[in-house]
Amino acid sequence: MSAEDWADAGKDTEGVRRVGRDYLDSLPQPPKDGSPKANADWWKGLDPEQQAAWTALQPNTVGGLDGLPATARDEANRIVLDEKRGQYRTELNGIPKPPASEWTWITAGMFPSKVHTDEWMEWDKKYGDQYRHLKSSLKGMNAIQTRFDQTGVGGLPEAYLLGFSPEGNGRAIVANGNPDTARHQAVYVPGTTSNLGSIGGNVDRMTELWRQTQQATPNASVSTITWLGYDAPQSIVKDAPFEHYAYDGAPAYRKFLDGLDASYSGSSEPHRTAIGHSYGTTLIGAAAQTGDLNADDVIFAGSPGVKVGSADEMDVPKGHVWNEEADGDKVPDIGRWGHGGSQWKMGGGVFLIPSDDAFGAHQMNTHAEGSGPQATTGAEGHSEYWEKGTTALKNQALVVVGEYGDVTAPR
């Protein structure tokens, strides 16, 4: 469908929803600020016709409720995604294109300076913020659709859209495989600069992790989930030093993990791994510090600190906190001064991060290993922890599928 078709469909759908609100008002209502279990009980109490009505008439509500089945949330969120994509395309087409000449040179003193043209400045003042928001949001929506279209390629499982909103910096929760039936669940929190526009790269990371789990344990039942359910810091300098992004997002992360329990329909207890990168590790630490973290393992990568000073405070079984720090990753040692935790006992101290021995996490190797077809490459810097073929990715996959004995430590 064209953008105009989707826009027209959206208007028609809104009309139907207005008419249908009286019908919805007559149905059992979702619990106000309900727990995932309460949400699940409400959904189970509806008959199929009532569930279909709620999905069609209030997809935002259904798609955003932790505890509902992944299939129900996915169906609802795909409706919202399609409608918003059509709406945003139409709005973008209605904005004049930016002037072809954005920059010019002026002479200020002895040296020429590069500045925006007057035409571009006028356009940017009137349209710039809206234009950039629409472009960024559409980039993220298209990336999510690309993942949908990859289902089956190389055995990649169905994708499930468990959360979605283009408002503000955006929200997106995308699962590889159905978490309601997967024996192993991994829920990844991305870090600074993450938003809807950059969701594609984070989804790709969890896609690579899912593929690696299949090499670690062929045919393992796994769901790897990208959870962008919080407002991540958007600037390394201006935002990342502040802790409120982590504490503000922590309750939503805990609620999502609890929701995975409420909707689980597998034959045995799920094994769940919380994974964080960069500031995402800070959020996971804040979630454990301020409530119950419903996870069995925690993996940190490139962590600037997790607000607590010991692995024992991470609310998972002893010995189930894992950490990776690649060569050349400067974030951990810089970030410790803002997000490191304290430990007042022998060998402890302040500004401790998961890379410190005193913290007590298992350190996982990120250097190249082996030779021949089974050889892995090393990860370097802050962004290569999920690169295909790396030791860092292999070790994460081994934790996700519970093959702890095969995880390698730095030499």
Side-chain angles (χ1 to χ4, degrees):
M1 292 175 70
S2 68
E4 290 76 14
D5 289 337
W6 274 118
D8 289 341
K11 292 176 183 177
D12 292 342
T13 301
E14 182 55 33
V16 171
R17 287 175 184 157
R18 281 196 296 268
V19 173
R21 279 172 190 151
D22 288 342
Y23 173 61
L24 283 187
D25 288 343
S26 70
L27 299 180
Q29 301 295 300
K32 183 176 175 58
D33 299 324
S35 67
K37 184 180 184 306
N39 294 338
D41 290 341
W42 166 74
W43 186 255
K44 292 173 185 175
L46 302 175
D47 63 36
E49 180 181 323
Q50 293 171 333
Q51 291 177 350
W54 272 103
T55 300
L57 299 174
Q58 289 292 328
N60 276 311
T61 297
V62 174
L65 288 177
D66 292 312
L68 268 59
T71 51
R73 297 184 71 174
D74 177 64
E75 181 182 0
N77 284 315
R78 290 196 190 211
I79 292 172
V80 179
L81 173 69
D82 287 340
E83 290 178 359
K84 289 296 184 181
R85 190 156 52 147
Q87 174 192 333
Y88 276 38
R89 284 173 175 170
T90 301
E91 291 181 11
L92 185 63
N93 290 339
I95 295 177
K97 294 290 189 292
S101 299
E102 180 180 349
W103 299 96
T104 189
W105 291 90
I106 63 171
T107 301
M110 297 178 59
F111 303 100
S113 300
K114 188 177 182 181
V115 297
H116 288 295
T117 63
D118 290 341
E119 294 80 8
W120 189 91
M121 289 290 288
E122 183 179 352
W123 174 89
D124 186 65
K125 182 178 180 180
K126 190 172 184 180
Y127 303 110
D129 289 344
Q130 183 187 14
Y131 182 83
R132 284 184 286 272
H133 173 71
L134 293 172
K135 290 278 286 187
S136 176
S137 298
L138 283 167
K139 179 183 176 183
M141 295 184 216
N142 292 335
I144 292 170
Q145 184 60 53
T146 295
R147 172 58 190 89
F148 292 159
D149 296 340
Q150 291 173 340
T151 296
V153 177
L156 200 62
E158 184 76 37
Y160 295 81
L161 188 58
L162 305 180
F164 173 76
S165 171
E167 305 304 322
N169 293 331
R171 299 282 194 275
I173 305 172
V174 183
N176 297 297
N178 188 342
D180 292 348
T181 57
R183 170 70 179 88
H184 303 283
Q185 305 165 343
V187 188
Y188 160 72
V189 185
T192 302
T193 73
S194 296
N195 52 46
L196 182 56
S198 64
I199 194 66
N202 287 309
V203 171
D204 288 345
R205 286 177 172 179
M206 288 301 97
T207 299
E208 287 301 329
L209 180 60
W210 185 89
R211 293 189 188 281
Q212 187 65 50
T213 63
Q214 302 307 294
Q215 294 187 37
T217 304
N219 299 316
S221 175
V222 178
S223 177
T224 57
I225 304 168
T226 300
W227 186 85
L228 180 59
Y230 80 115
D231 285 323
Q234 294 301 293
S235 168
I236 295 174
V237 176
K238 295 180 180 179
D239 300 328
F242 295 98
E243 63 182 20
H244 72 85
Y245 297 96
Y247 287 110
D248 290 348
Y253 186 64
R254 288 196 303 267
K255 193 172 183 181
F256 180 77
L257 297 182
D258 290 343
L260 292 178
D261 260 357
S263 62
Y264 191 68
S265 59
S267 58
S268 60
E269 287 294 314
H271 166 238
R272 187 172 303 123
T273 303
I275 303 176
H277 177 231
S278 193
Y279 196 93
T281 70
T282 309
L283 183 146
I284 293 175
Q289 183 189 37
T290 57
D292 296 328
L293 188 69
N294 197 340
D296 304 290
D297 284 281
V298 172
I299 297 175
F300 298 132
S303 176
V306 297
K307 313 312 297 183
V308 298
S310 169
D312 293 340
E313 298 177 72
M314 283 309 304
D315 199 28
V316 293
K318 189 174 181 63
H320 286 263
V321 177
W322 311 80
N323 185 67
E324 292 183 338
E325 181 179 331
D327 287 346
D329 189 346
K330 299 178 181 180
V331 169
D333 282 334
I334 295 175
R336 72 164 66 242
W337 306 108
H339 301 305
S342 300
Q343 183 186 135
W344 300 106
K345 66 179 185 180
M346 188 67 68
V350 296
F351 306 122
L352 290 172
I353 61 175
S355 301
D356 295 327
D357 289 342
F359 185 87
H362 290 294
Q363 302 301 319
M364 297 195 291
N365 190 29
T366 60
H367 300 114
E369 291 180 341
S371 60
Q374 302 302 316
T376 55
T377 59
E380 295 185 3
H382 192 56
S383 302
E384 293 188 358
Y385 295 100
W386 291 273
E387 289 293 312
K388 182 178 180 179
T390 59
T391 307
L393 180 63
K394 178 182 177 181
N395 277 330
Q396 288 190 46
L398 290 168
V399 172
V400 169
V401 297
E403 298 291 344
Y404 307 118
D406 294 331
V407 174
T408 57
R411 297 184 186 83

